[in-house]
Amino acid sequence: ERVKIKPDWQPKPVSVVADKDGNWKIMLKTPAAGGSHSILISGENEIELKDVLLGEVWVCSGQSNMGFTLKSDFLAKEEIASADLPNIRYFSVKRQYGPNEFEDCPGSYWEKTSPQTAPSFSAVAYYFAKKISKQMNVPVGLVFAAWGGTPAQAWTPSPTLRNDPALSLYIQRWKDMFRTVGKDSTDWHLEVKKWEELKSTGLNPMPRKPEEPGTLISYNRPWREPSVLFNGMIHPVIPYGIRGVLWYQGESNVSDSDEYFHLFGSMISSWRKEWDNQSLPFYFVQIAPFNYSKMDAAARLRDAQYQVMKYIPNAGMAVTVDLRDMENQHFTHKKEVGDRLALIALARDYGYKNIYFKGPELQSAKLVEEQLILNFKTASALKTDSGILRGFEIGYQSPGGEKIFERASAAIHGKQVVIGVDKNKKPCEVRYAWLLAGEANLFDEEGLPAFPFTYQLKSSKN
């Protein structure tokens, strides 16, 4: 069938012939951002798309912190009341998953932002769009596709996992899960029963409740299977024209944090391939400072995110270690997160040269007598939000060869941090906001937080 397309911004229609399955695609030149417009599509029947806006479209994906709604945000009351923003449109992809790629997401539709619709929107996505739209005076479209408690491999195309020996292990683990989940479940329920008996005695402090084993979590949540969410929630919106991707995920990969750099980098590359844009901007959020059962694993995952930012082109990360609520993995201050993502996009994609978007990064560390001097790459001088700089640790080599970390007293000197070192010990490593992520309070003058780090001291024999 020959299909004619007539957008209201050009005088003549264009046409294309559908293939044997009824599929067709045509590229339209578009005028400057704005609207509203209409597009008439006609063949044997006619469809008119009305109130069409032209602007900046971002896919917003990940797990529960991306799905965290505006109505649950710290500023919910005032933001919702003022959310009469028809230039921001929101498309929530219906939750669906499966072993094969979906071509559509029935039941999903574009919504205008208003006090009636905004409460259910992703808070991070909303704040991002609000800042971009206000700064540039253009419409912004948000394609929301997120699902709480999901690992990155569920959002990665199957060929990417199958064809990489280092990633195919995720597929094998899923198969192995069915052989071990029964025993894991029995053992866990017995441990929980013992824990509950101990709790009834009034013991204080109580040990942590035994963690649900990963096999049981996955068995009860089939949407965590490798590739199924890419199939169901990302593939249907490809090749929709987008400016970039916002990603907020990682908590569900803490247990395999040492694998995350390669997995996440491969996922980014695969999405870019699917959109046929190897420079597609991909901006993500650092996982929350939280009392994970394995704090070192969480620190390594944050570091893996940082390495992706450093080594994957057109990638950027919004730091969140300063937004601490160690008892709540879903901290409620999402405006800072959305704004920080927007700063990255404004500076890197929209040409705003006077916008700072990256906080202080450690460049080098040097021992000078009894002081350790840390040099930072930063756009302005360093500062702290209190009189005491926290979150720093020095690792000392013990006589037995073990590395022992101690809290370090630190002071700011311009763009440097100076730490006193015990002259009777052998310092071998310095780190910031690693296990002490909840104590991070180092910023630049713009209020952007410093990146966590661990750094091996070159003067050490270690």
Side-chain angles (χ1 to χ4, degrees):
E1 181 181 2
R2 179 168 293 278
V3 180
K4 290 183 179 181
I5 303 95
K6 174 62 175 68
D8 67 3
W9 60 81
Q10 66 183 45
K12 295 181 179 180
V14 292
S15 66
V16 61
V17 177
D19 68 15
K20 61 183 177 63
D21 298 314
N23 300 310
W24 59 270
K25 175 183 175 182
I26 196 163
M27 304 297 287
L28 297 175
K29 289 184 178 180
T30 53
S36 90
H37 296 282
S38 64
I39 303 174
L40 183 65
I41 305 169
S42 57
E44 292 181 0
N45 60 320
E46 275 191 355
I47 297 173
E48 185 176 16
L49 305 179
K50 299 179 180 180
D51 194 19
V52 176
L53 299 185
L54 304 176
E56 302 299 306
V57 180
W58 290 79
V59 167
C60 309
S61 189
Q63 55 181 113
S64 55
N65 268 310
M66 180 58 83
F68 187 94
T69 58
L70 185 60
K71 64 185 176 185
S72 302
D73 184 71
F74 180 72
L75 300 173
K77 186 175 180 180
E78 59 195 82
E79 283 294 337
I80 290 171
S82 62
D84 185 15
L85 303 167
N87 260 14
I88 297 175
R89 304 288 173 90
Y90 191 87
F91 185 91
S92 181
V93 178
K94 176 185 176 182
R95 284 189 173 186
Q96 54 186 17
Y97 63 95
N100 300 310
E101 294 174 341
F102 288 61
E103 297 300 328
D104 201 359
C105 44
S108 302
Y109 53 91
W110 285 103
E111 296 178 271
K112 292 182 181 180
T113 301
S114 70
Q116 291 71 44
T117 61
S120 64
F121 290 1
S122 161
V124 168
Y126 166 85
Y127 285 121
F128 171 87
K130 183 179 178 182
K131 191 172 184 70
I132 295 291
S133 183
K134 182 179 180 181
Q135 182 78 35
M136 299 179 62
N137 192 30
V138 297
V140 177
L142 302 169
V143 178
F144 171 80
W147 196 321
T150 55
Q153 59 267 28
W155 297 96
T156 305
S158 181
T160 301
L161 299 179
R162 287 197 319 267
N163 298 330
D164 186 331
L167 299 179
S168 61
L169 60 88
Y170 291 103
I171 298 172
Q172 187 58 48
R173 284 175 186 167
W174 188 265
K175 295 176 181 177
D176 293 342
M177 174 260 294
F178 291 97
R179 294 197 294 268
T180 61
V181 65
K183 183 179 183 304
D184 290 348
S185 176
T186 300
D187 292 346
W188 178 67
H189 281 96
L190 288 173
E191 290 175 7
V192 169
K193 184 177 180 180
K194 291 178 182 177
W195 180 84
E196 289 173 342
E197 291 172 351
L198 192 62
K199 186 178 180 181
S200 66
T201 65
L203 180 67
N204 189 21
M206 271 290 291
R208 281 180 178 267
K209 183 178 180 180
E211 276 197 20
E212 187 177 4
T215 52
L216 187 57
I217 292 173
S218 295
Y219 183 80
N220 291 326
R221 298 164 181 83
W223 50 87
R224 291 171 56 97
E225 183 178 355
S227 304
V228 296
L229 291 180
F230 172 83
N231 293 341
M233 298 182 69
I234 300 301
H235 191 267
V237 298
I238 298 170
Y240 195 89
I242 65 171
R243 168 66 78 167
V245 176
L246 306 179
W247 175 260
Y248 199 163
Q249 189 275 341
E251 294 88 349
S252 288
N253 285 95
V254 165
S255 60
D256 50 18
S257 57
D258 292 336
E259 303 165 0
Y260 194 73
F261 173 80
H262 183 54
L263 171 62
F264 187 31
S266 299
M267 192 203 87
I268 292 173
S269 296
S270 69
W271 285 30
R272 287 173 170 171
K273 182 179 179 181
E274 293 286 342
W275 259 284
D276 194 23
N277 182 355
Q278 287 304 310
S279 60
L280 184 73
F282 208 105
Y283 304 143
F284 51 91
V285 185
Q286 183 184 61
I287 62 168
F290 173 70
N291 282 323
Y292 298 91
S293 60
K294 297 178 181 178
M295 292 292 283
D296 191 61
R300 293 197 303 274
L301 192 131
R302 289 190 197 94
D303 191 59
Q305 292 178 310
Y306 177 64
Q307 300 305 320
V308 167
M309 182 201 77
K310 283 182 65 176
Y311 295 110
I312 301 294
N314 290 339
M317 181 173 74
V319 177
T320 62
V321 284
D322 62 307
L323 305 175
R324 45 192 173 271
D325 183 350
M326 299 303 287
E327 302 306 316
N328 184 5
Q329 197 170 10
H330 306 102
F331 60 87
T332 62
H333 285 257
K334 293 297 192 284
K335 184 177 189 300
E336 293 88 338
V337 182
D339 284 353
R340 289 171 188 177
L341 288 170
L343 290 177
I344 301 173
L346 288 168
R348 295 178 60 171
D349 301 301
Y350 298 122
Y352 288 83
K353 303 298 183 184
N354 60 339
I355 286 181
Y356 298 104
F357 66 94
K358 186 187 288 189
E361 292 181 85
L362 181 71
Q363 290 294 95
S364 63
K366 185 177 181 181
L367 278 167
V368 180
E369 296 180 351
E370 296 178 15
Q371 289 185 327
L372 178 60
I373 300 175
L374 308 181
N375 295 295
F376 286 83
K377 181 181 179 182
T378 173
S380 60
L382 302 175
K383 71 173 186 178
T384 181
D385 62 356
S386 67
I388 301 174
L389 192 56
R390 301 187 298 270
F392 286 89
E393 297 174 284
I394 295 286
Y396 293 101
Q397 198 76 43
S398 71
E402 296 179 347
K403 191 182 296 183
I404 300 172
F405 283 91
E406 298 179 3
R407 290 175 181 266
S409 297
I412 294 172
H413 293 269
K415 293 185 178 183
Q416 295 180 328
V417 169
V418 178
I419 299 174
V421 177
D422 191 329
K423 64 180 181 180
N424 298 314
K425 298 179 180 179
K426 296 180 179 180
C428 58
E429 188 173 344
V430 58
R431 63 192 189 188
Y432 168 70
W434 198 258
L435 296 189
L436 303 179
E439 299 183 19
N441 67 344
L442 179 63
F443 303 86
D444 63 16
E445 292 290 346
E446 306 298 322
L448 291 172
F451 291 84
F453 64 82
T454 184
Y455 187 91
Q456 303 290 328
L457 299 176
K458 293 179 182 178
S459 63
S460 169
K461 295 179 181 180
N462 181 51

